[in-house]
Each structure stands twice: as C-alpha cells, then as structure tokens.
Amino acid sequence: MSYLSFPRLHFSGSYQADPSTINNKPERYDIDLFQPRFQREPFGGWNPKGTGALRFQNVSITSAFHADGRSAAPNPTDPAVDGSLIDGGSQVSAKLVDLDPEQQLVSQIWGLELQLVDATGRVVCRGDFTPTSFADIWNRGPKTGEIVPFGASYQSVLTDVRWLDTSGSPFLDELRETTADGLLSIKFNLDGFQGDDQSPDFTFGRIVGSIGAYQPGEPTAFVAARRLRPQPGSTLNDAPCRLDEATGTVLLDLGNSLPTVTAGGNLVDLGELHLAVLPAHGRPVRLAPLDGIDDRFYRERAGVAAIRLEREHLALAAENRLAVLDSAATPKVLLAENAEAGFLRANEFTFRLYPEQPHDTTSTTLVATRFGRPAARERIFVTDPSGTAPLKFPASVVTDENGRAELTVTATDPGNPRGPLDGLFCALEYTWSAQPDGPPSFPAPHRQLNILVQSRFTGPDRPTWVTDVQPIFQQYANLYPVMRDVFDLANYHHVVAYRHRIRKSLLAPRESPGHMPVTRDLSPGKRDMIVRWLGIEPEPPMLELDTVEELRRVLQQALAVEHSTIPVYLTALFSLKNDRNLEVARIIRGVVLEEMLHMALVGNILNAVGGTPVIGRPGFVPVYPGPLPGGVLPSLRVSLRKCSIEHIRDVFLAIEQPEYPTVAGAPFTGAVIAPDTFTLDDSGMLLDSDDDAMSTLEKWYVDAEYNPFTIGWYYNQLAMAIIRLDDQLRARGGTLFTGDPARQVRWPGAPGTLYQVTDRRSALLAIHEIIEQGEGSPHDVDSAEHVRDREEFGHYYRFKEIVEGRELIRDAQGKWVFEGAPIPFDPDGVHPMVDNPDTYALPENTPARAASQLCDRVYAELLSTLHQVFNGQPGKLGDAVGLMYSVQVQAKKLLSLPSAPGADTVAGPSFQV
C-alpha cells in the first residue's frame, strides 16, 4: 500500500519556495573573487535574497476515498474531507535545499511539518515529512515570461504521526486503522513556479497531492509497483501504476505526467485516452477508457485515475505490459512499461558523506520489480562512471526474495579538488543486466546515487575568528545576504552577540527546520570547530597571533582596513567642485595620500615576513555601506557620500578617533620616541637606530593597553606578534623576516616614511608611522608640547579642522586650539551626488551606467597594478599613480551625469570591481 492505494485523500493549493540563487555557480564560493553585484539580479540569479523557505499556502482537501474505493462525503458527513493541509504552526518554515551547485536536480525538503485540519478548524492529525529529493522533473508546459514550466514530484512519508481528535470522521478512523508504524505515505506534484520578482505571485507555484496508508517494508520515496514511461513522440512524463487486486482497480498516477497549456495552467486536451496492455505478440488491447482527464480531475484527484477492470482484464494487466494509448484508429502508444515490465529504483538517492566515522558510511535499498511483483535474485551492477569518486562500494548486489538489495557506500577523503567549494560531487549508477531503464550513462538524477563527499577538516583546538571561523562564515554571508537583515555572519561582533543562538542552530538535528546552515552543506569537521570557538569563554577570540601564518593573515586584513577608508575619503574629495572648498580638498587629499602610505607600509611588512599581499581581487574591496574589514570599530557603518560637515563628523572622525592607550595605569598621550633616534636613507632603508629608543618602543607596544577592536588595538596586536614570533624564531636560530628584500616598495616623496622593512626594528617603526599619522595616534592636543607643526597631528585633528571651521594653532599659552585661519565649507560647492553610488543600480543603456562601468574598470586596473607592485614588480608604482589620476578623471565625469533620467542627483564612483 501507499498513497497509490485505498484509503487516500487528495489536496490542492499553492506553495512558496524561496531559495537563494547566488550559490548556483561554484565560482561564487571564492570569497576573494566574490563581487557585491552577485547579491542582486540578474548577476545573482532570479532570487539572490532568497530565504530558503518552503511553505504550503491555502492547500485544501479536495477528495477522499475509503478502503473499498468509495468516495468519502464531505462536511457535515465527514468534516475532515472538507478540511485543509497546513505546514508548521509551531516552528519555523521548512527549507528547500540543493545538494550541490554541480547537482541541483535533487533538491530536498527539510524540516517540513504538516497538519491536517478539519472543516471546523481542528487539527486532527500532524506528522513530520521525511526529507527527500524531488523526482521526475520535466518541461511540463511552455515558458511564458519568468514562469518556470518545470514539473516535479516529491514522495515520502510522514513520520511520528500524531492523531488527535478524529471523532466524527469515518474516513480518518479508517486511514488511522489501515496505516502502520506511525507513518503515512505522501506524494505531491509541483508546477507553475513564478520566477518574476515583479509578479505578486513571485516564488509561488501550484501543488496537488495525495496521502495514503503505509505498510511495513514499503519504499518511502516511490511506489514499488509499475512504471509507465514516455514513448517516442509522446508529450507525457513517467507515470507510476499499481494494481489493487482487493478492489479490482488499476491506480494510475498521471499527476506529474500530463502536460499543461501554460505553466501551472490547464491540462492539454489529449482527447480520449485508454489504459491498455501490450502483449508480447499481437496488437495492443484496450482495457478501459481513462474518463474525465481534465482540470477538475487534476485539481480534485491530484491526477490519480482509478480504473475498475473486469476479472479477465485484471488477468491481462497482471501478465502483460501496461500502456496508455490515444483514441486514434491506429492507436499511438503514449506511455508504456519497458520491454520486460521491469522497474529498479533506490529508495534513497541523495547523500552527504564526510570521511570520518560515523559520517562516512551510508546505505540504501535497491528495489526491483517485474510486472509489479518483486524481482528476486537479480544481480544489480554498481559503477562509478568517472572512475575517480572517493567512494568504496561493491561492484554488484543481488536482490532477495522480496526484490530488495542493500547497497552500502563508504567515503574516503576527496581532498580539496574544488578549492573554496567543499568536497566533491559524485554520482554512482546502478542497473541490471537487461538495463530496462535505458542507457546507464544517461540516467535521470533520481535513478542514480547522488553523493556529496565533503573534505576532511581538522581545525585547531582553540580556533580564532580571523584565521579559522571568518573565512567560513564570510562565504555564507556572501551567498545568503538575506541573513544580514537579522545579523551579519561576516561580522565578528554580530556573531558573538548571537553566538548562543548560532550554536544551538548548528547543533540542531539536520532534519530540524531551525538547523543552520539551511543548505546542510557545512561539514561535521567545520561545524565542530565553529561550535568549539563559540563555546570559548568569556568571549570567542577574534585573533591570537601564535603562528607566522596567522600573522600574515591579519596583515592581509590590515591591508584591507587601510584600503577601505580610501574610497570613502576619495568619494568626498571628488564630490567637491573644482574651484570651491579648496582648503577642505587639500586636507582630505593629504589624508588620502597618508592612507595610501599606510597601505604601502603594511604591504612591505607583509612581504618582509614572507607573505603574499592580495590586492587585485574583488573580495578585497568592501561593500558600501557596511562595516570596516577585520572586525574593527564594530558600531561604525561606512558609506560613500558626498562631502558634508555631517559626513566628516559622523564617519571620518569616527574612523580616525585617537586611541589613548593605558600604560602603567594611566592614559598615554605623548610621543613614544623622537624622530632623531634613527637614521634613514632616501629610499626608506633604516641605517641606524638608537638601542634605548628601540627598547622603549618595544616596551611601549607590550605595555600599551587599548580598548579591544579599535584600530590602535589591532596594530598593537600586530606589533606584539612581531616581537613574540621573532623572539621564538631567533631562539631556534631562525628569523621572522624571510621575505625577498627586492619586493620592498619605495615611494620617493611619500607623505611620511615608507620604510623598507627588512627586520624587526624597521617593522616596528613602520607600525609606529601608521599609528603616529592616523588611526591609533596617542597624541593629544592638551599635551602636545613636542609637536612643532599642526601637520604632525593625526588625521582626526585635520578632519576636525573642517568640522570646527578653523585651523589648529598654538595659542599664546602654548596650547593647541582650533582658533586659526578660517576653513570655510560651502555646501553649494559640492556636486549633488547620490548616496552610496552603485553601478548596477543605474538604469541600463544610459551614459551614467556606461561611465560608471568604465570608472569601475579603471579602479580594478589600479588595484591589479598595485597587486603587481607588491608582488615582485615595485617598479610599476608609477603606473599605479597614473591610474589613480585616471580614476579621478572618470569619477569627475560621473559627477556631471544624472543618476537617472530627470533626477536631481548625479552619479558617483562606486569602486566596484
């Protein structure tokens, strides 16, 4: 028995499927190459902000049949027959999940709870849908607009069925008595999915289905009976079929077999159809007409035809191939069993394996039938068509007396063949010698075993965010941006704030709708490492620089932090009209040049410790508006906006806020070392340094206590790691500074000193240069007697001059005050640039869109050239400078173009690559 038997009920209505589509392409998993535009249409597919949710909508019970085949009367005779089928009610929505970007044709439903509600509104039965993959996908109708013409079906069982008050429903009492093991069989068909986000029906489609009794030993994902398949020239799809000898009925499921005039619309009129047999010798024999194959039949009976046969016709059907014919004088065979009326299918055919016990092994039951009866002692052959799958399995298995054979598969470690995309997708094919299902090299997805073998992963006992967790969470944040509306998985502070909830979701059973991630593609090894990190008290560590590799990784993030401020400042600078706000422009331009110097200093340090600076990749460029990279300044959200006093006050000053560390219990606001304690040549090479001064600098780094997650704290962590790791390596006769000195970049005329970093001292001085000029500067205007010129103050005080409208000068008492020459700001001297310019938000086929794409291209070329500069071609720095001016030219052109036809705002640089 199954849904394709008696008793059973049918239902019809709508469903909503809301998958995220960004992850459909393997290349999107590389966080270094991910581009923000992938998070919008059309670059991220038709639904880049999908939630993964699947829901039933307005699904009604349309008919029911008793065990003897009689139709059950609706309310008031039987309130259940006039009821509805709803999902959830006490939990979050179910999830629709692909197995892998390289296999999207076995999407599974996870975490679906269904409830049967009678006509009075009472829940009379509920159960949990066992996760399964769809089958028999096909082009059911012509494509119209963005309506997807595919049809597919899901068959599974409802487990842990809880019967509530079924009094007054003879049908439910009968169904309850007939079914076994606390299960019910369910099958439903989906079609007419709407993929146009401008439609009110976006992400909705049609659903019809059936629920019936379950008996022990039945497959859960298909009917182990007979299978009618399309014949040449037919427009129909596969149809399961079963002889119910108790009622003398052939039950033929045409629900996912009949084509539609439009996607999700009416059925194509195929004329009169007939159930027939195909004798081994002779002409087809019609058994009975298939009456009432129309839209009502599909809606009310889910396309399941029940054909009563006379005894002699039942005998013919039992021993001959079944078929569906048209009504022509010379009938055309539309559907038929294969030559031997054989059917072979694996009950479960979609798996996720991980090469460590207990996750490395799975099994499935292969079921073979002939003429709907068990095919005993059949040898089933199993092959790996690729010849390279990291799987162990028998070459063949033999069915038992019940036509069943157990197939066990064990995974080995596939390594990392797909880089950022975990593991490897594998397909195993199974067939018997007669090969009744067609050529084995071209099986349908549900007629092969689809297996994702994940890569073995061993994380550290004490993971950190920067080194271990963030690269994993960044991938999910990229691919599922809808999560950012709740919390940002790429943001350390958001993750820590929600860590108990995240930990609970990670540890929830995979079948739970609350399991995280919804994709079910996080390997057990990575999950366990993340859970360890989340459980570290009092707070999961952001970074602990205990190895050279960790130091290199954090230096790369420091490179990204320095770069992230440059587009913010440049956008404000470019927005100033050429002949207005000249002093404001001078101040901002000076800070931009020093930020470029800081970026170069970090690049030189990274090269010196044997790292490889990564600059010319999309993942290097932050998303605006958004946080700064690396988890620094967590409460700050940075935008690209035109220049204004408010923007400078709220964003620029927040970025550059001086950080006064505590040293020996008191705030430190003075100079650490004097400039005359070391000597440099014109190229930035350290020639000599005072030992006492360097000892003072090292001690200051070690003793200084910053507020966590500030930029000053970040650089102080780097400095202490350099001291600690260099000490460890020196003790073993080595050195931290293994990089090629030829990769050091020189910048004659730099706004400060671009150190050639070759040893510990030059590295610490380079960090000191960054701190002195900008973020983390310990200078304070109230204790800065040693400062001789206002240009020596950090970036915060230069931007503060714009906000205050006055130069910073030393007054008669020797104090530094904002009482110097006026620095006026004229709002009319600023182009009316749109906030957070976005190339792909501009109208297509407009001058602004074309100009913005060109500006992005030039900026990408600039970053690519800088990547070359810091990776062995320092002589190309002049080319990078030239490209910087080209970016300015293109940005200024954008500021002369409207952001949209008739708009009051103009376009601006988006800095997208």
Side-chain angles (χ1 to χ4, degrees):
M1 302 181 72
S2 67
Y3 82 93
L4 202 56
S5 60
F6 298 109
R8 72 176 187 278
L9 63 82
H10 300 299
F11 54 86
S12 176
S14 300
Y15 75 97
Q16 181 186 27
D18 190 31
S20 175
T21 54
I22 303 174
N23 67 330
N24 287 345
K25 295 185 177 181
E27 59 269 23
R28 303 281 166 82
Y29 287 74
D30 190 332
I31 61 176
D32 287 332
L33 299 179
F34 191 84
Q35 300 180 40
R37 64 192 177 107
F38 295 157
Q39 295 183 339
R40 64 170 64 87
E41 290 187 75
F43 310 101
W46 54 268
N47 193 27
K49 290 195 174 181
T51 63
L54 182 133
R55 298 178 176 88
F56 283 29
Q57 299 282 338
N58 301 319
V59 177
S60 301
I61 306 304
T62 53
S63 63
F65 296 88
H66 289 290
D68 59 6
R70 291 181 299 111
S71 176
N75 186 55
T77 304
D78 196 327
V81 180
D82 203 23
S84 58
L85 189 67
I86 64 174
D87 60 9
S90 60
Q91 58 185 22
V92 299
S93 65
K95 302 300 184 292
L96 184 65
V97 181
D98 284 342
L99 174 66
D100 188 80
E102 295 181 353
Q103 177 50 291
Q104 300 175 39
L105 295 180
V106 289
S107 302
Q108 294 178 300
I109 296 174
W110 294 83
L112 174 62
E113 180 192 51
L114 290 176
Q115 301 182 73
L116 186 60
V117 180
D118 71 11
T120 68
R122 295 182 306 164
V123 176
V124 292
C125 178
R126 59 163 52 102
D128 298 321
F129 183 85
T130 296
T132 192
S133 302
F134 67 68
D136 297 313
I137 187 170
W138 67 306
N139 252 333
R140 189 169 187 178
K143 182 173 182 179
T144 54
E146 295 302 321
I147 299 179
V148 181
F150 295 127
S153 64
Y154 282 93
Q155 183 178 336
S156 186
V157 290
L158 300 180
T159 64
D160 191 25
V161 174
R162 285 86 78 196
W163 297 94
L164 304 176
D165 184 3
T166 61
S167 61
S169 175
F171 169 76
L172 286 181
D173 288 340
E174 192 174 57
L175 181 62
R176 181 176 188 174
E177 293 170 2
T178 307
T179 197
D181 297 340
L183 306 176
L184 286 171
S185 176
I186 182 170
K187 161 82 176 290
F188 51 83
N189 309 308
L190 308 176
D191 77 334
F193 185 80
Q194 175 58 265
D196 181 2
D197 65 356
Q198 300 303 306
S199 168
D201 297 324
F202 178 55
T203 71
F204 283 84
R206 177 170 62 177
I207 182 172
V208 300
S210 312
I211 295 177
Y214 174 84
Q215 291 300 305
E218 287 184 343
T220 59
F222 62 92
V223 177
R226 307 177 76 161
R227 176 67 54 137
L228 278 60
R229 302 191 187 283
Q231 301 303 295
S234 173
T235 58
L236 277 66
N237 193 31
D238 283 24
C241 182
R242 177 179 174 272
L243 270 65
D244 189 320
E245 296 182 1
T247 60
T249 306
V250 173
L251 294 162
L252 177 61
D253 183 0
L254 295 169
N256 190 41
S257 182
L258 299 170
T260 56
V261 176
T262 59
N266 295 334
L267 299 180
V268 171
D269 185 359
L270 299 172
E272 188 176 82
L273 303 179
H274 292 263
L275 180 68
V277 294
L278 304 177
H281 304 286
R283 298 168 58 84
V285 177
R286 288 189 171 98
L287 301 181
L290 301 179
D291 294 326
I293 306 299
D294 57 17
D295 300 313
R296 181 177 177 182
F297 159 75
Y298 184 66
R299 182 178 63 256
E300 294 187 359
R301 299 192 180 186
V304 176
I307 307 103
R308 296 272 186 168
L309 297 181
E310 301 297 331
R311 184 178 299 275
E312 62 272 20
H313 283 170
L314 274 175
L316 282 174
E319 302 300 333
N320 292 277
R321 297 165 58 206
L322 288 172
V324 172
L325 312 180
D326 67 11
S327 58
T330 302
K332 180 179 180 180
V333 180
L334 303 177
L335 294 173
E337 292 184 274
N338 55 33
E340 297 186 3
F343 178 51
L344 173 65
R345 180 73 63 83
N347 188 41
E348 295 181 66
F349 52 90
T350 304
F351 306 94
R352 293 166 173 81
L353 297 180
Y354 180 70
E356 286 185 1
Q357 295 182 350
H359 312 288
D360 61 337
T361 299
T362 190
S363 63
T364 188
T365 302
L366 301 178
V367 181
T369 65
R370 293 192 190 280
F371 296 99
R373 296 183 289 272
R377 294 178 297 281
E378 291 280 357
R379 184 167 294 278
I380 310 300
F381 297 91
V382 186
T383 58
D384 166 22
S386 72
T388 59
L391 299 168
K392 297 177 181 179
F393 55 91
S396 66
V397 293
V398 178
T399 61
D400 61 16
E401 295 301 315
N402 296 313
R404 267 67 166 167
E406 197 75 7
L407 173 62
T408 299
V409 180
T410 301
T412 60
D413 187 8
N416 193 34
R418 300 190 295 177
L421 183 55
D422 197 341
L424 185 67
F425 167 70
C426 307
L428 295 184
E429 297 173 357
Y430 56 89
T431 185
W432 43 18
S433 56
Q435 299 182 2
D437 288 343
S441 56
F442 299 100
H446 58 281
R447 295 180 204 147
Q448 66 184 21
L449 301 187
N450 304 272
I451 305 171
L452 173 61
V453 183
Q454 296 169 318
S455 305
R456 179 180 285 116
F457 177 86
T458 303
D461 292 336
R462 185 178 170 85
T464 66
W465 169 259
V466 169
T467 302
D468 307 299
V469 177
Q470 192 270 344
I472 298 172
F473 276 2
Q474 181 69 62
Q475 193 178 76
Y476 285 107
N478 289 346
L479 299 176
Y480 302 96
V482 69
M483 282 294 298
R484 194 172 294 126
D485 294 336
V486 180
F487 63 89
D488 185 357
L489 278 173
N491 186 309
Y492 166 86
H493 309 282
H494 287 195
V495 171
V496 170
Y498 286 90
R499 64 170 167 154
H500 298 298
R501 175 60 188 160
I502 294 172
R503 187 176 187 274
K504 183 177 180 180
S505 296
L506 288 170
L507 293 175
R510 184 177 284 179
E511 295 78 12
S512 168
H515 175 88
M516 175 181 160
V518 299
T519 48
R520 270 65 176 176
D521 57 359
L522 183 66
S523 73
K526 291 180 179 178
R527 179 204 60 200
D528 292 347
M529 186 267 290
I530 294 171
V531 169
R532 283 200 305 276
W533 178 78
L534 290 168
I536 296 175
E537 296 292 350
E539 194 167 79
M542 180 179 181
L543 56 87
E544 290 179 352
L545 304 180
D546 296 325
T547 68
V548 175
E549 185 53 44
E550 289 171 348
L551 173 64
R552 292 169 181 162
R553 187 185 295 274
V554 176
L555 281 167
Q556 173 64 38
Q557 287 215 352
L559 201 65
V561 170
E562 293 299 340
H563 164 262
S564 68
T565 65
I566 294 173
V568 178
Y569 298 157
L570 282 179
T571 300
L573 175 63
F574 293 161
S575 72
L576 298 173
K577 295 178 180 178
N578 290 341
D579 58 345
R580 314 280 281 277
N581 294 306
L582 298 181
E583 181 62 13
V584 172
R586 187 192 71 79
I587 291 172
I588 297 175
R589 185 178 295 108
V591 172
V592 168
L593 289 173
E594 289 188 357
E595 294 292 355
M596 293 177 178
L597 171 64
H598 299 172
M599 186 174 166
L601 285 164
V602 175
N604 275 357
I605 298 171
L606 182 52
N607 266 323
V609 298
T612 303
V614 177
I615 299 173
R617 290 190 175 188
F620 181 73
V621 180
V623 177
Y624 302 102
L628 293 175
V632 297
L633 302 177
S635 61
L636 180 63
R637 188 172 176 84
V638 180
S639 297
L640 302 179
R641 301 184 66 185
K642 67 183 181 183
C643 191
S644 69
I645 296 298
E646 294 76 19
H647 188 43
I648 294 173
R649 181 188 63 230
D650 297 341
V651 177
F652 291 19
L653 293 186
I655 293 173
E656 306 290 353
Q657 179 71 43
E659 175 69 7
Y660 305 131
T662 298
V663 177
F668 184 93
T669 57
V672 181
I673 56 174
D676 58 4
T677 57
F678 50 89
T679 307
L680 303 163
D681 67 13
D682 292 339
S683 70
M685 181 67 71
L686 183 63
L687 301 178
D688 187 31
S689 59
D690 182 81
D691 291 343
D692 291 338
M694 293 308 300
S695 295
T696 299
L697 181 60
E698 285 197 18
K699 188 175 186 305
W700 180 78
Y701 282 130
V702 172
D703 293 343
E705 298 179 12
Y706 286 89
N707 290 324
F709 314 123
T710 60
I711 293 177
W713 171 84
Y714 199 79
Y715 276 109
N716 200 61
Q717 297 295 307
L718 286 168
M720 289 193 297
I722 288 171
I723 295 169
R724 182 171 59 255
L725 292 172
D726 192 47
D727 282 342
Q728 294 172 2
L729 290 167
R730 283 184 180 184
R732 299 196 296 266
T735 179
L736 175 62
F737 299 92
T738 58
D740 182 359
R743 292 167 68 95
Q744 293 292 305
V745 177
R746 295 164 176 78
W747 183 358
T753 301
L754 177 54
Y755 286 88
Q756 305 298 291
V757 180
T758 57
D759 57 12
R760 173 167 164 166
R761 292 191 171 192
S762 52
L764 295 178
L765 285 169
I767 292 177
H768 182 256
E769 178 85 355
I770 296 171
I771 290 175
E772 283 283 288
Q773 283 191 341
E775 310 91 340
S777 171
H779 289 315
D780 177 14
V781 291
D782 293 328
S783 57
E785 296 83 1
H786 56 284
V787 178
R788 293 164 294 185
D789 187 276
R790 70 185 180 101
E791 297 293 340
E792 294 182 34
F793 281 105
H795 299 166
Y796 175 87
Y797 297 101
R798 291 189 230 168
F799 286 143
K800 192 72 178 291
E801 287 184 315
I802 300 174
V803 173
E804 297 292 336
R806 293 278 183 175
E807 286 186 0
L808 183 61
I809 62 169
R810 194 190 294 271
D811 66 10
Q813 289 73 41
K815 290 187 176 181
W816 287 95
V817 291
F818 293 99
E819 296 177 1
I823 302 179
F825 178 76
D826 178 9
D828 292 333
V830 181
H831 293 284
M833 190 194 79
V834 66
D835 286 350
N836 296 304
D838 183 345
T839 296
Y840 298 96
L842 294 168
E844 293 187 41
N845 303 316
T846 60
R849 175 75 168 262
S852 189
Q853 287 176 315
L854 180 56
C855 187
D856 288 343
R857 176 182 171 182
V858 176
Y859 186 64
E861 291 171 350
L862 168 62
L863 293 182
S864 178
T865 303
L866 285 173
H867 183 82
Q868 297 173 55
V869 168
F870 286 97
N871 283 275
Q873 302 182 60
K876 294 182 73 67
L877 182 61
D879 294 337
V881 172
L883 285 166
M884 183 69 252
Y885 284 108
S886 295
V887 170
Q888 182 173 357
V889 170
Q890 295 301 325
K892 286 292 188 179
K893 182 177 180 180
L894 277 168
L895 291 161
S896 67
L897 299 171
S899 59
D904 295 330
T905 56
V906 296
S910 68
F911 296 99
Q912 296 173 356
V913 298

